[in-house]
mmCIF file of all heavy atoms in Angstrom:
data_model
loop_
_atom_site.group_PDB
_atom_site.id
_atom_site.type_symbol
_atom_site.label_atom_id
_atom_site.label_comp_id
_atom_site.label_asym_id
_atom_site.label_seq_id
_atom_site.Cartn_x
_atom_site.Cartn_y
_atom_site.Cartn_z
ATOM 1 N N HIS A 400 8.279 -3.756 2.584
ATOM 2 C CA HIS A 400 9.488 -4.279 3.216
ATOM 3 C C HIS A 400 10.689 -3.333 3.068
ATOM 4 O O HIS A 400 10.913 -2.771 1.990
ATOM 5 C CB HIS A 400 9.883 -5.616 2.593
ATOM 6 C CG HIS A 400 8.757 -6.597 2.502
ATOM 7 N ND1 HIS A 400 7.822 -6.558 1.495
ATOM 8 C CD2 HIS A 400 8.414 -7.632 3.300
ATOM 9 C CE1 HIS A 400 6.957 -7.541 1.666
ATOM 10 N NE2 HIS A 400 7.282 -8.211 2.754
ATOM 11 N N ARG A 401 11.434 -3.205 4.139
ATOM 12 C CA ARG A 401 12.687 -2.444 4.103
ATOM 13 C C ARG A 401 13.857 -3.386 4.368
ATOM 14 O O ARG A 401 13.690 -4.442 4.965
ATOM 15 C CB ARG A 401 12.669 -1.329 5.143
ATOM 16 C CG ARG A 401 11.572 -0.291 4.889
ATOM 17 C CD ARG A 401 11.768 0.949 5.731
ATOM 18 N NE ARG A 401 10.713 1.933 5.503
ATOM 19 C CZ ARG A 401 10.832 3.218 5.787
ATOM 20 N NH1 ARG A 401 11.958 3.680 6.308
ATOM 21 N NH2 ARG A 401 9.839 4.046 5.562
ATOM 22 N N ARG A 402 15.021 -2.959 3.911
ATOM 23 C CA ARG A 402 16.247 -3.743 4.109
ATOM 24 C C ARG A 402 17.309 -2.871 4.752
ATOM 25 O O ARG A 402 17.457 -1.704 4.374
ATOM 26 C CB ARG A 402 16.752 -4.280 2.762
ATOM 27 C CG ARG A 402 18.091 -5.007 2.829
ATOM 28 C CD ARG A 402 18.484 -5.545 1.462
ATOM 29 N NE ARG A 402 18.607 -4.504 0.453
ATOM 30 C CZ ARG A 402 19.699 -3.760 0.258
ATOM 31 N NH1 ARG A 402 20.781 -3.932 1.024
ATOM 32 N NH2 ARG A 402 19.722 -2.832 -0.696
ATOM 33 N N ALA A 403 18.013 -3.424 5.706
ATOM 34 C CA ALA A 403 19.116 -2.682 6.330
ATOM 35 C C ALA A 403 20.284 -2.624 5.355
ATOM 36 O O ALA A 403 20.829 -3.652 4.962
ATOM 37 C CB ALA A 403 19.543 -3.369 7.629
ATOM 38 N N ALA A 404 20.652 -1.404 4.947
ATOM 39 C CA ALA A 404 21.752 -1.238 3.988
ATOM 40 C C ALA A 404 23.102 -1.508 4.643
ATOM 41 O O ALA A 404 24.088 -1.795 3.956
ATOM 42 C CB ALA A 404 21.727 0.163 3.395
ATOM 43 N N GLN A 405 23.169 -1.411 5.973
ATOM 44 C CA GLN A 405 24.380 -1.743 6.725
ATOM 45 C C GLN A 405 23.967 -2.042 8.168
ATOM 46 O O GLN A 405 22.816 -1.856 8.549
ATOM 47 C CB GLN A 405 25.382 -0.598 6.673
ATOM 48 C CG GLN A 405 24.932 0.682 7.370
ATOM 49 C CD GLN A 405 25.971 1.794 7.282
ATOM 50 O OE1 GLN A 405 26.338 2.201 6.189
ATOM 51 N NE2 GLN A 405 26.429 2.259 8.423
ATOM 52 N N ASP A 406 24.923 -2.543 8.957
ATOM 53 C CA ASP A 406 24.620 -2.830 10.360
ATOM 54 C C ASP A 406 24.127 -1.551 11.047
ATOM 55 O O ASP A 406 24.713 -0.475 10.875
ATOM 56 C CB ASP A 406 25.867 -3.332 11.092
ATOM 57 C CG ASP A 406 26.277 -4.725 10.648
ATOM 58 O OD1 ASP A 406 25.518 -5.349 9.886
ATOM 59 O OD2 ASP A 406 27.357 -5.182 11.063
ATOM 60 N N THR A 407 23.068 -1.675 11.815
ATOM 61 C CA THR A 407 22.531 -0.503 12.492
ATOM 62 C C THR A 407 21.799 -0.949 13.757
ATOM 63 O O THR A 407 21.800 -2.130 14.099
ATOM 64 C CB THR A 407 21.590 0.296 11.553
ATOM 65 O OG1 THR A 407 21.223 1.519 12.177
ATOM 66 C CG2 THR A 407 20.340 -0.486 11.207
ATOM 67 N N LYS A 408 21.167 0.012 14.434
ATOM 68 C CA LYS A 408 20.412 -0.292 15.646
ATOM 69 C C LYS A 408 19.113 0.492 15.667
ATOM 70 O O LYS A 408 19.028 1.602 15.122
ATOM 71 C CB LYS A 408 21.227 0.061 16.900
ATOM 72 C CG LYS A 408 22.247 -0.994 17.304
ATOM 73 C CD LYS A 408 22.783 -0.696 18.702
ATOM 74 C CE LYS A 408 23.660 -1.848 19.196
ATOM 75 N NZ LYS A 408 24.041 -1.669 20.613
ATOM 76 N N VAL A 409 18.096 -0.083 16.289
ATOM 77 C CA VAL A 409 16.869 0.628 16.624
ATOM 78 C C VAL A 409 16.631 0.385 18.102
ATOM 79 O O VAL A 409 16.563 -0.771 18.541
ATOM 80 C CB VAL A 409 15.671 0.132 15.792
ATOM 81 C CG1 VAL A 409 14.371 0.687 16.348
ATOM 82 C CG2 VAL A 409 15.826 0.542 14.333
ATOM 83 N N MET A 410 16.503 1.485 18.852
ATOM 84 C CA MET A 410 16.488 1.397 20.310
ATOM 85 C C MET A 410 17.771 0.652 20.720
ATOM 86 O O MET A 410 18.847 1.030 20.288
ATOM 87 C CB MET A 410 15.220 0.713 20.825
ATOM 88 C CG MET A 410 13.918 1.277 20.272
ATOM 89 S SD MET A 410 13.537 2.971 20.801
ATOM 90 C CE MET A 410 12.614 2.661 22.294
ATOM 91 N N SER A 411 17.662 -0.408 21.467
ATOM 92 C CA SER A 411 18.867 -1.158 21.865
ATOM 93 C C SER A 411 19.038 -2.425 21.047
ATOM 94 O O SER A 411 19.902 -3.259 21.338
ATOM 95 C CB SER A 411 18.783 -1.533 23.349
ATOM 96 O OG SER A 411 17.630 -2.318 23.597
#
Side-chain angles (χ1 to χ4, degrees):
H400 311 81
R401 297 193 181 201
R402 175 178 59 84
Q405 66 180 59
D406 290 352
T407 188
K408 279 192 172 188
V409 169
M410 309 293 270
S411 59

